[in-house]
Amino acid sequence: QVQLVESGGGLVQPGGSLRLSCAASGSIFSIYTMDYYRQPPGKQRELVAGITATGVTTYADSVKGRFTISRDNNAKNTVYLQMNNLKPEDTAVYYCNLGRPPRSRGQGTQVTVSS
């Protein structure tokens, strides 16, 4: 089974930036769609952004123009979520998923946006 290891979360002020990373083990990473979900405190998990094997991206309306998802299918086997102009409502635990439906999920990383 492919393992996903997430990193890059933390505390940031409103208007700041963070970059999340999700590194996958194994050689099958490149054929799967990768998604980032988030779960705000007390709310349901929601899809934030996704990227297909060929690089087609989708975003939730709430993050369009602020977040960018990308992937490195070569040696790094990693998907990235660049988050700019962060808002307090972006506060959540962020998870990456491999495949639709998910074949594997990351452990989650906390993002807190607060002054």
Side-chain angles (χ1 to χ4, degrees):
Q1 184 175 354
V2 176
Q3 290 191 327
L4 303 176
V5 178
E6 301 187 55
S7 60
L11 172 64
V12 64
Q13 292 186 342
S17 298
L18 285 174
R19 189 176 81 156
L20 306 184
S21 299
C22 174
S25 63
S27 60
I28 63 171
F29 168 82
S30 63
I31 67 174
Y32 286 102
T33 291
M34 297 294 297
D35 293 318
Y36 263 103
Y37 282 77
R38 68 185 180 188
Q39 188 162 18
K43 296 184 179 180
Q44 289 188 333
R45 193 173 295 192
E46 60 184 3
L47 179 63
V48 175
I51 184 166
T52 68
T54 56
V56 177
T57 57
T58 55
Y59 298 94
D61 288 343
S62 59
V63 307
K64 282 181 181 176
R66 301 188 297 122
F67 289 12
T68 303
I69 191 168
S70 61
R71 67 190 297 161
D72 181 340
N73 288 338
N74 298 316
K76 294 187 177 180
N77 275 4
T78 300
V79 62
Y80 304 98
L81 186 66
Q82 178 67 42
M83 306 185 294
N84 298 328
N85 190 22
L86 283 160
K87 304 176 181 181
E89 52 263 42
D90 295 318
T91 295
V93 179
Y94 285 71
Y95 301 87
C96 61
N97 285 357
L98 179 144
R100 293 179 183 172
R103 295 173 60 94
S104 186
R105 289 190 172 96
Q107 82 279 12
T109 186
Q110 176 71 46
V111 171
T112 302
V113 185
S114 175
S115 55

